[in-house]
Amino acid sequence: MSAQPLPFAEVASQPTAKRGTLIYMPMEHEPVLATELVDLVAPQPGEIAIDCTFGGGGHARLIGEKLGRDGELICIDRDPEAEKRFAKVAAQVPCRTRFIRAEYSEALANLLGEGVQADIVYMDLGMSSMQLDAWERGFSYAYDAPLDMRMDPGQETSAREILNDWPQTRLAKAIKELGEERRAGSIAREIVKRRPLATTSDLVEAVKAGVPPADRFGRGNPAKRTFQAIRIAVNGELDNLSRSLPLAWELLGDGGRLATIAFHSLEDRRAKRFMAERAKGCICPPELPVCVCGQEPEAELVTKRAVSPRDEERERNPRSTSAHLRVAQKIAGATG
C-alpha cells in the first residue's frame, strides 16, 4: 500500500506545510520539555535513572550525559524500533546503559524484584514522534494506512479488531472516556454501520459522518479525539500508567525524583493526583487542636503547577503544545 494523505489531513501544524495543502513531512525527533526535565530532575554523577518510555532517546541522551562514568541509565520501551535506536544513544553517553523491551509497568515490577533503587524515574507518555511518522503503523489520521496502532507490533489486539469486533456501546464509551469526544455515540454508530473497517481512511470517514459540520470548526481535525481513544484502548495506556506510578515511587530512594510528561488530561490528572496524594500531610479535621492521624508527607512537589512548553518550543515543535511536566521528590525516610 502506498501512503496517501487523507482529504482533510491536519497539515497546518507541520512546519514544512502551507495551510490548505496536502503536503505531509515527518518531523525530526525533538524531545519535548527537554531542558525543563533535566533542570527539574537534576541528574548527578553516579546516579541511576530509569527512562520508562525511551522512544527516540532524546531525553535519555540528555539525562545520560549528566550521570557520568559511575552512573547508570536504564531504558524501557515495548516498541522493537526503539530498541534499534537505543544502541546509538548508548554509544553517546558516558554512563552504563541497559535496555528492557517490555511494557514499563512490567519492567518496573521486574526491576523492583531485582532490588534496583533509582534516583530518577521519568515517563514521557503517549506515542513517540517516530511512531506517529511511521505511516504504515496507523497512528496518524493524516495518511491512509492499515488500522494498527500497536506500540508493540507483536501484541494480538490492534485497532482493526477493536473497531470491527467491539459492540457499539463499548466503542462509544471508549471514544467518550478515552478521547473526551462529545459525539462519541454518533461516531460509534457510523463505525458499526461501515464495518468492516480496514484502513485509517475508513475510520476518518466514519468520524466525518458522525460529526456534524457545525461541530468541526475550531477543533482541529475531527478524527483526532477518536484516534486518541482507539490508540489508548489498543495499548492499555491508562491502565499501564496507573500500575506504574506506585511501582516507580517504590523504586526511588531518599531524595529520588519522579517526573511525568503528559499530552492529554487523562494522563496528566492521574500523575497530578498521584503526586498530590503523596505530598499530603495531616488529614485531621481542622477543628482538632493537635494532629492525631500521624500522616506525614512522602513527597515534595518540585512543580507546584504543571510546566508547559515555552512559546519558542511551541513554535519550533507544534507537537509539544499540549505537554505538561510534573515532578515530585521523595522525602528522606518516607515509606512506600
Side-chain angles (χ1 to χ4, degrees):
M1 178 185 295
S2 60
Q4 297 295 325
L6 297 182
F8 58 102
E10 187 180 49
V11 299
S13 64
Q14 303 296 334
T16 54
K18 296 180 179 179
R19 186 176 298 275
T21 70
L22 296 180
I23 299 169
Y24 180 86
M25 295 295 289
M27 297 174 64
E28 291 186 11
H29 173 63
E30 178 180 353
V32 173
L33 290 166
T35 300
E36 292 83 351
L37 175 69
V38 174
D39 288 346
L40 291 169
V41 300
Q44 302 298 312
E47 289 190 326
I48 296 175
I50 301 175
D51 183 327
C52 295
T53 49
F54 178 76
H59 292 119
R61 180 178 58 79
L62 295 172
I63 296 288
E65 288 173 352
K66 303 288 186 181
L67 298 177
R69 295 173 61 87
D70 295 326
E72 183 175 7
L73 177 65
I74 301 172
C75 298
I76 303 165
D77 206 298
R78 57 177 139 176
D79 191 332
E81 295 301 315
E83 186 171 8
K84 295 176 184 177
R85 292 187 288 269
F86 171 73
K88 181 178 179 180
V89 173
Q92 294 174 334
V93 297
C95 59
R96 302 186 305 277
T97 58
R98 174 183 175 188
F99 187 89
I100 302 173
R101 188 185 161 200
E103 278 193 353
Y104 58 90
S105 58
E106 176 188 340
L108 293 175
N110 290 339
L111 290 170
L112 265 177
E114 294 175 16
V116 171
Q117 187 169 87
D119 301 284
I120 300 168
V121 181
Y122 61 97
M123 307 172 183
D124 181 9
L125 302 167
M127 62 182 168
S128 71
S129 295
M130 282 66 59
Q131 289 168 332
L132 183 62
D133 289 335
W135 68 268
E136 71 279 3
R137 298 185 65 176
F139 286 105
S140 175
Y141 43 76
Y143 271 127
D144 187 14
L147 282 168
D148 192 329
M149 302 192 197
R150 293 172 295 175
M151 292 181 177
D152 177 359
Q155 77 179 43
E156 184 174 341
T157 302
S158 71
R160 184 167 183 166
E161 282 72 49
I162 286 177
L163 290 164
N164 289 312
D165 296 345
W166 280 16
Q168 182 176 320
T169 52
R170 187 180 181 189
L171 267 178
K173 185 171 188 271
I175 294 169
K176 180 179 180 180
E177 295 181 356
L178 303 182
E180 300 177 298
E181 171 59 70
R182 63 181 177 173
R183 293 293 183 177
S186 58
I187 291 171
R189 186 165 55 250
E190 287 293 334
I191 289 171
V192 171
K193 184 192 301 184
R194 293 160 181 266
R195 285 173 171 170
L197 279 67
T199 68
T200 53
S201 63
D202 293 339
L203 178 55
V204 166
E205 289 303 316
V207 173
K208 185 178 179 181
V211 177
D215 282 4
R216 297 177 196 168
F217 296 103
R219 302 180 62 203
N221 192 302
K224 181 176 182 178
R225 294 176 183 272
T226 299
F227 268 68
Q228 171 185 297
I230 300 304
R231 189 203 79 224
I232 291 173
V234 167
N235 297 288
E237 293 175 43
L238 295 182
D239 289 341
N240 195 23
L241 176 60
S242 295
R243 292 193 303 269
S244 297
L245 287 168
L247 293 169
W249 192 252
E250 191 175 349
L251 274 162
L252 291 173
D254 288 350
R257 288 83 73 199
L258 171 65
T260 61
I261 299 176
F263 289 83
H264 58 76
S265 59
L266 297 172
E267 294 170 333
D268 189 49
R269 281 198 296 266
R270 279 167 169 74
K272 178 183 179 179
R273 189 182 308 121
F274 180 86
M275 294 180 187
E277 287 174 354
R278 273 139 196 85
K280 190 184 297 181
C282 175
I283 56 173
C284 292
E287 60 268 19
L288 289 182
V290 294
C291 174
V292 294
C293 72
Q295 179 167 312
E296 297 288 340
E298 300 175 24
E300 176 186 351
L301 298 180
V302 178
T303 53
K304 306 301 181 186
R305 294 182 175 182
V307 176
S308 299
R310 297 170 183 165
D311 291 341
E312 311 90 84
E313 181 171 4
R314 293 171 189 263
E315 292 171 6
R316 188 176 66 250
N317 180 12
R319 290 179 183 171
S320 72
T321 299
S322 60
H324 288 83
L325 167 64
R326 298 185 186 274
V327 182
Q329 185 167 23
K330 198 168 194 178
I331 295 173
T335 58

